[in-house]
Amino acid sequence: MGYLLSYHTDTGRVKNVNQDALLLQSGCFKGEQIVLAVLCDGMGGLEKGEAASAAVIRRFAGWFRKELPVMLKKGLDRLENSVLSAWTGILEQEDEAIGIYGRKHGVLMGTTATAMLFAGGVYYIAHVGDGRVYELDASGDWIWQLTKDQTLAEREVERGRLTKQEAESDSRRNVLLQSIGAGSCMGGRPVPSFMRGPVRRGRVYLLCSDGFRHEISEEELLRAFHPSAMAGESDMKRACIRLTELDKARGENDNISVLAVKAV
C-alpha cells in the first residue's frame, strides 16, 4: 500500500507567530511505504507555545529516523506494543522537560500532540489535547472523527449536559483537560489516548488543529477532501489551502494547520 501526502499551515488573521508545528515523513520497509504524521498546537495564550510544539515534533522526527527502523526489523506483529511504549515515553519525557523549562524561566508553556503512524496496513494514533483525526470513506459518503477532544466542553457532552452540536460553539471547547508541558507545570500528568485500526485503500485521513475545523463543518470537510477528487498530492494541497482560506474568511483567529494522507 502507498500513500499520497500533503499539508498546509497558516499563521492566521491575527497572530504574529505560528505556534502549530507539523511533521509528515515517509520511508520504505520491505517495499512498503511507512508514513508518520504529527501535529502539535502550541497552547494559545501561553508563552513559548511555539517552542513547546517544536520540541515534541523534533522528538518524533528523531524516533522515526532512528528507532522505528529497528522496531520494523523485529516484525510488524510486534509493532503495536513497541510503538505504544515508545510514544508513551516520548510524551512523558517531553511533558517533564517542557514543564522544567517553564518553571526555570517563569513561563507557562504547553502543546497538544496528535501522532499517526501508517505501517503494514494499520494505523496507530496517540492523542493529547484537542487536535483531531478524521477518516473519510472511499465512497465519499462517510466521515468519522477518530479522536476525542480532551476539553471541558467534550466532558460536558459525555455527562449529557451539552449536545455535540452545542459543544462546537461552547466557550469551554478551548479549555483543555490535558496537554504536554502545561500540565506538568501545574502538577498534572497527561494520559495519552491510543488507538489503532485498519487502513482502507482509497480512504483519506486528516489531522488538523482546532483552528482548522472551528469554522468548517464535517460535511464541508467531506466535500473538499472527497476521496474520488484526491487523484494526486496537488489536489490534496489545493483542498488544504481552500479550506484554510475559507476558515479565515469566516473569522477564525487561531493558527490553522492540516495534514492529509490518502491510502492508494
Side-chain angles (χ1 to χ4, degrees):
M1 187 176 296
Y3 299 91
L4 300 177
L5 312 174
S6 189
Y7 73 94
H8 187 63
T9 185
D10 193 293
T11 302
R13 301 168 60 249
V14 175
K15 296 184 177 181
N16 295 320
V17 176
N18 192 342
Q19 294 184 317
D20 290 352
L22 294 75
L23 175 67
L24 189 56
Q25 289 191 318
S26 175
C28 187
F29 178 71
K30 293 185 177 180
E32 182 171 343
Q33 190 176 5
I34 307 294
V35 173
L36 175 64
V38 187
L39 176 59
C40 296
D41 181 355
M43 299 200 35
L46 300 186
E47 298 176 84
K48 301 291 186 180
E50 65 275 19
S53 59
V56 175
I57 289 294
R58 284 194 298 271
R59 282 297 307 279
F60 274 98
W63 172 83
F64 184 83
R65 185 175 64 255
K66 299 177 182 179
E67 299 177 44
L68 179 59
V70 177
M71 296 178 183
L72 290 170
K73 289 178 181 178
K74 294 179 180 179
L76 289 171
D77 57 326
R78 301 172 60 182
L79 188 59
E80 181 176 358
N81 290 337
S82 298
V83 169
L84 177 66
S85 176
W87 285 5
T88 298
I90 288 173
L91 295 173
E92 288 180 349
Q93 291 161 20
E94 286 305 307
D95 177 68
E96 182 176 6
I98 293 169
I100 290 173
Y101 181 91
R103 289 191 294 272
K104 180 178 179 180
H105 294 274
V107 296
L108 189 59
M109 54 193 292
T111 182
T112 67
T114 301
M116 190 169 191
L117 176 71
F118 298 84
V122 178
Y123 66 73
Y124 305 89
I125 298 173
H127 173 64
V128 175
D130 62 352
R132 285 186 183 176
V133 179
Y134 291 99
E135 181 177 7
L136 285 66
D137 186 62
S139 67
D141 294 330
W142 301 96
I143 181 171
W144 298 273
Q145 181 183 329
L146 299 180
T147 54
K148 183 180 292 185
D149 298 347
Q150 296 174 354
T151 63
L152 185 54
E154 183 63 29
R155 189 170 70 182
E156 292 299 285
V157 172
E158 293 175 350
R159 293 177 175 176
R161 296 170 182 168
L162 284 177
T163 66
K164 193 70 175 177
Q165 185 175 12
E166 289 170 337
E168 291 295 335
S169 58
D170 192 280
S171 60
R172 290 169 290 182
R173 70 181 184 178
N174 295 319
V175 181
L176 291 177
L177 298 178
Q178 293 205 109
S179 70
I180 305 298
S184 180
C185 289
M186 295 180 286
R189 284 290 187 187
V191 180
S193 296
F194 291 98
M195 57 211 76
R196 70 185 298 278
V199 178
R200 306 295 189 186
R201 197 178 304 275
R203 291 191 178 179
V204 173
Y205 300 85
L206 301 177
L207 288 79
C208 63
S209 63
D210 62 331
F212 179 80
R213 44 85 178 172
H214 276 160
E215 303 297 330
I216 305 296
S217 69
E218 290 188 354
E219 290 75 16
E220 288 172 319
L221 287 176
L222 191 55
R223 287 198 299 270
F225 290 97
H226 196 293
S228 66
M230 301 292 106
E233 292 180 345
S234 59
D235 299 315
M236 297 167 67
K237 181 70 172 182
R238 282 193 292 270
C240 291
I241 295 173
R242 184 166 65 250
L243 282 192
T244 296
E245 293 304 312
L246 178 59
D247 210 9
K248 292 193 292 183
R250 290 177 174 174
E252 178 58 54
N253 293 328
D254 203 353
N255 304 142
I256 302 169
S257 298
V258 59
L259 301 97
V261 178
K262 181 182 180 180
V264 294

